[in-house]
Amino acid sequence: TPLTLIAGPVEHVLKNSKLPEDAREQLVVVERNTNRMLHLVNQILDFRKIQNGKMELKLYRFDIVKTLTMWVGDFQLTAERKQIRLHLDVNDLKGSHEMIADQEKISRIVFNLLSNALKYTPAGGEIFVSLKDEGANLRLDVRDTGKGISQDEADKIFERFFQAKGAASGTGIGLALVKSFVELHHGEARVESEPGKGSDFCFEISLPYPDEEECEEYTAQKKEESTEISKLKGVHITMKWRKIYVDSR
């Protein structure tokens, strides 16, 4: 896209150590806003794919503890700058750390949850991320001490382009896209919130795991009555499903 053609040269010029400081500052602004616009365009394109039934899941086997630690770590500097304490606790996870899911989409779910938590949590507040076993399931909590929203707004929070009263800058796309990604994993998204006491986003996501020992890359497209997923190599496999609870408080 034209945005990527802008981003590439800007990134290249910023690597020039002889670039005047005033020019560097201006280019940093260009780079930041180009990336924001590119992110927004990609989100809109994803919505179109979902609406047209073209969005696919690419399933991988990965270590959820290592991956979640990396994702949360990406937000640590931003949290420190905003004087918000960001906590991660995985000590209660006693079972396997292994998960099979669309890692990129799960990362975007976590990204949007943490972005919202940071956006609406004031200086001096806290955000708690935890991972633990709950029966045969995994539970991921993202709990904040932010401003919260009313029940009327909570009922609409996952609608496209909806923004609560007093919302910070945004497009109203992030949570709607989260809901779509959750549903692609055969899950459900919901929220509980109270003004002045923070928000509790709860995601229950059904994730597949194969009976077979070997697990390479899978591609799956959501279907109404089927839990069958095809390997990229063309071998057809029937998947079983378990649930992971993602509870963002």
Side-chain angles (χ1 to χ4, degrees):
T1 68
L3 287 173
T4 57
L5 295 178
I6 294 172
V10 169
E11 181 181 0
H12 177 74
V13 174
L14 282 171
K15 292 179 180 179
N16 184 352
S17 59
K18 298 181 180 180
L19 188 67
E21 191 59 32
D22 59 340
R24 182 177 301 278
E25 290 177 359
Q26 295 296 321
L27 282 174
V28 167
V29 173
V30 173
E31 181 182 48
R32 180 168 62 247
N33 285 282
T34 299
N35 289 336
R36 286 176 178 172
M37 185 61 69
L38 186 59
H39 178 67
L40 175 59
V41 169
N42 287 335
Q43 286 187 320
I44 293 173
L45 291 175
D46 283 342
F47 269 125
R48 294 298 298 165
K49 287 182 181 179
I50 291 169
Q51 289 177 330
N52 295 329
K54 301 296 185 181
M55 179 63 73
E56 295 182 342
L57 296 181
K58 295 182 179 180
L59 305 182
Y60 297 87
R61 188 190 299 271
F62 63 96
D63 187 317
I64 183 58
V65 173
K66 290 182 179 179
T67 309
L68 182 61
T69 300
M70 178 182 65
W71 290 338
V72 174
D74 289 342
F75 285 84
Q76 190 63 51
L77 182 59
T78 301
E80 291 175 357
R81 287 175 176 171
K82 297 190 69 175
Q83 300 178 19
I84 296 172
R85 292 184 293 279
L86 179 59
H87 309 274
L88 173 62
D89 182 7
V90 296
N91 292 326
D92 290 333
L93 182 62
K94 307 302 181 184
S96 174
H97 294 181
E98 194 172 81
M99 175 183 294
I100 295 177
D102 189 318
Q103 184 174 345
E104 191 270 339
K105 290 180 178 59
I106 296 295
S107 74
R108 290 174 68 178
I109 290 173
V110 174
F111 175 89
N112 277 289
L113 290 178
L114 284 173
S115 294
N116 276 3
L118 283 168
K119 188 182 296 184
Y120 296 108
T121 300
E126 296 183 273
I127 299 172
F128 302 88
V129 182
S130 63
L131 188 67
K132 63 182 179 180
D133 299 290
E134 190 160 290
N137 308 316
L138 294 175
R139 179 171 175 143
L140 177 64
D141 289 270
V142 182
R143 177 169 57 89
D144 68 64
T145 58
K147 59 187 295 186
I149 56 176
S150 68
Q151 186 57 53
D152 288 342
E153 292 173 322
D155 293 339
K156 303 175 182 178
I157 199 66
F158 293 109
E159 295 179 5
R160 279 175 291 172
F161 308 118
F162 176 80
Q163 290 184 293
K165 293 180 180 179
S169 60
T171 60
I173 289 179
L175 287 177
L177 198 58
V178 164
K179 181 176 183 290
S180 296
F181 287 162
V182 169
E183 290 177 347
L184 280 172
H185 283 88
H186 293 236
E188 178 187 5
R190 56 187 183 272
V191 61
E192 294 180 3
S193 186
E194 185 175 345
K197 295 186 177 181
S199 297
D200 182 348
F201 288 88
C202 183
F203 297 88
E204 182 178 316
I205 306 178
S206 299
L207 296 176
Y209 63 100
D211 290 331
E212 290 76 7
E213 292 294 325
E214 296 297 325
C215 176
E216 299 176 1
E217 178 182 344
Y218 296 88
T219 296
Q221 186 168 356
K222 185 180 177 185
K223 298 180 180 179
E224 289 295 325
E225 302 296 337
S226 175
T227 58
E228 291 185 336
I229 295 180
S230 299
K231 264 192 178 179
L232 286 183
K233 291 186 177 180
V235 180
H236 205 255
I237 291 180
T238 299
M239 310 293 284
K240 294 182 179 179
W241 295 83
R242 64 186 174 92
K243 292 181 178 179
I244 172 175
Y245 294 91
V246 184
D247 189 1
S248 169
R249 299 178 186 264

